[in-house]
Amino acid sequence: MHSTEVARLSGPFDGPSWDRLGPGAAVQGGRWLTAMLSRLPGEPVRVSHDGPDGALGFTGAVVRDGDAYEAYNPWAILRREDPVFPEVRALGRRVLPHLGDGREAILPGLLLVAPGYLGDPVGPAADHPDSVKRCLADVCAWAGDAGLATVSVLYTRPAASRVLAPAVGALGGESFDLTTRSMMPVTWDDEESLAAVRSKRRRIEVRRQLRRLAEHGCSVGTGVPDELFDEVIEGRCALLRWYGQPADEAAERRRLRTLIDSFGEDLLLFTAQVEGRLIAHALFVADMRTLQNVYVGTTELGRNVPYAHLAVTYHAPMRHVGRERYDWIDYGVGHGDTKRTQGCEAVPLMGHVIPL
C-alpha cells in the first residue's frame, strides 16, 4: 500500500515537517524553502508520498503563465525559439516531438523543483525506482484531474536522474539534457593554501583585478544584511532590471527578511563599496557543508567598476571558506564558462516531462 498527496500551499511552508525527510542539499532544506518557495512562478505545491520503501517528497508549483520566468517555465525551456538552455537542442532533436509548439501543449503544467534549480526527490525512498514511479503516477493522475497538460521535473543531478528517467519513460514521458550546475570544491584551508592551489597565472590575474578595484576607490569585504538591507534590495532589483527580468521590490524585501530571520549568522553578505555606498554584493547561505550562492546585486555604478561582481561573487567568498567547514561553494546554473574559469566543476542536470 502507498499514498500520495499533492497539496496546494496557501500559507507558510512547513519547514520542520519537511526537514524530517532529510534533504541532502542546502536549497532543499526547510529554512530555505520557507524563505524562497515564492520565487517559483504560479501556485506552490508540496508532494508527499509514503510507501513500502518509506517517504519521499517534491516541492514545486502549478505554472500557467506562458511568460513566467524562463528558467522555471517548461514551455520556454522546451519550445521557445530562442532556447533558455542550448543543451536542450544540442542534439538537433525535439523533446516529445508529437507535442505541438503552442503554449497550450505544455501549460498549464505542474513543475516539480526547488527554488535554487534542484529537482531531486527528497526522502528515504527518493532513490527507490518503484517508489518514485508510483509517486509520479499518482502526481500525473492528480494533474490530469486538475486539467493540466504536463508534469515536469527540472534540474536533477546524475543520481536522481538515473532513478527518474526510467520512471518518466514508463509513464510516457521523456528525459533530456538541460544544463549544468557549477560547484566549486573547497580544497584549501586558508588564504595561504588557496594561493597554493591556484596556478601562477590565476594568482597574478586575481591580484590584478583586486588592484584595479582599489584604483577605483572600491573596498571589498563583508557586511551585515540587516544593516545594508535597503542597499541590498536596491542592487538586486537593479540587476534584475538590467537583465530584463521583473523586479518586485516588495517580494524581494519579504524574501530577504525571511532569509535573515531564518538563517541569522548563517547568511553571509560579501560587499563592494565605493565611498561607503554598496555597488555590488553577493549573498550566500551557509548550510550543511555547502556555501550556497543565493543571489547577487549590482547597481549602475557597480556595472562601471571593473571586477566588482567577480570580487564579491568569487574572490571574497573563496578567501572566507576552508575545508574544515565546507566541501563546496554552490554557484548554481548559468554562466558556466565564467564559473569554470574561477575553478568550478560542471555537474550535468537533466529535465523530465510527462504529457498528460
Side-chain angles (χ1 to χ4, degrees), residues 13-346:
F13 186 79
D14 186 354
S17 71
W18 175 262
D19 281 339
R20 286 196 285 272
L21 289 172
V27 298
Q28 290 183 310
R31 290 190 296 173
W32 171 267
L33 292 168
T34 298
M36 305 299 281
L37 194 60
S38 63
R39 294 185 80 174
L40 298 180
E43 310 155 54
V45 301
R46 171 176 170 173
V47 175
S48 303
H49 175 89
D50 196 17
D53 301 316
L56 68 90
F58 292 93
T59 56
V62 175
V63 181
R64 300 183 184 277
D65 183 3
D67 294 321
Y69 175 53
E70 59 183 14
Y72 293 125
N73 184 335
W75 174 81
I77 288 172
L78 292 173
R79 293 293 190 261
R80 198 178 70 179
E81 185 174 346
D82 177 23
V84 179
F85 299 109
E87 293 94 330
V88 177
R89 299 188 186 177
L91 298 179
R93 63 170 178 80
R94 289 160 57 90
V95 176
L96 293 174
H98 61 279
L99 290 183
D101 288 336
R103 297 180 180 186
E104 69 280 359
I106 296 170
L107 299 178
L110 175 60
L111 166 66
L112 301 180
V113 72
Y117 309 104
L118 189 59
D120 299 2
V122 169
D127 58 353
H128 289 259
D130 290 341
S131 291
V132 171
K133 181 181 175 181
R134 284 191 291 265
C135 176
L136 288 179
D138 291 345
V139 167
C140 287
W142 178 92
D145 290 343
L148 307 184
T150 56
V151 171
S152 301
V153 188
L154 297 183
Y155 307 106
T156 63
R157 295 175 295 186
S161 298
R162 287 191 291 271
V163 175
L164 279 160
V168 167
L171 294 170
E174 187 172 339
S175 301
F176 53 94
D177 294 330
L178 181 54
T179 186
T180 58
R181 187 176 200 90
S182 295
M183 303 289 294
M184 182 178 292
V186 178
T187 59
W188 59 91
D189 299 302
D190 49 31
E191 283 193 52
E192 183 177 349
S193 58
L194 171 60
V197 301
R198 285 173 166 163
S199 67
K200 181 180 179 180
R201 179 178 179 180
R202 187 77 197 127
R203 292 197 300 272
I204 292 172
E205 176 60 18
V206 170
R207 286 198 297 268
R208 184 187 72 83
Q209 292 177 4
L210 294 175
R211 186 167 61 250
R212 286 290 305 279
L213 274 174
E215 291 169 357
H216 281 77
C218 182
S219 60
V220 178
T222 60
V224 179
D226 247 334
E227 296 176 0
L228 295 171
F229 192 99
D230 291 338
E231 292 180 69
V232 168
I233 297 301
E234 177 187 354
R236 176 61 179 168
C237 290
L239 187 66
L240 290 172
R241 295 187 187 104
W242 173 256
Y243 282 111
Q245 298 176 20
D248 185 335
E249 181 177 334
E252 293 298 334
R253 295 181 74 88
R254 287 194 299 271
R255 291 183 191 119
L256 180 56
R257 172 49 53 199
T258 306
L259 281 168
I260 292 171
D261 292 344
S262 297
F263 286 97
E265 294 183 357
D266 290 332
L267 192 66
L268 306 180
L269 179 66
F270 298 95
T271 62
Q273 295 182 310
V274 173
E275 297 181 352
R277 287 291 298 174
L278 189 68
I279 65 166
H281 73 266
L283 193 66
F284 288 76
V285 164
D287 197 13
M288 304 177 191
R289 290 190 56 82
T290 298
L291 189 63
Q292 172 69 48
N293 187 15
V294 180
Y295 58 63
V296 297
T298 307
T299 65
E300 183 176 352
L301 175 59
R303 290 195 297 273
N304 295 316
V305 175
Y307 310 117
H309 167 75
L310 290 179
V312 297
T313 309
Y314 300 102
H315 305 334
M318 290 174 71
R319 288 179 168 184
H320 179 84
V321 307
R323 58 185 171 184
E324 180 180 353
R325 167 66 178 82
Y326 299 98
D327 296 320
W328 300 96
I329 307 177
D330 185 345
Y331 282 103
V333 303
H335 306 289
D337 291 341
T338 298
K339 293 171 182 177
R340 280 191 291 273
T341 298
Q342 302 300 323
C344 291
E345 298 177 357

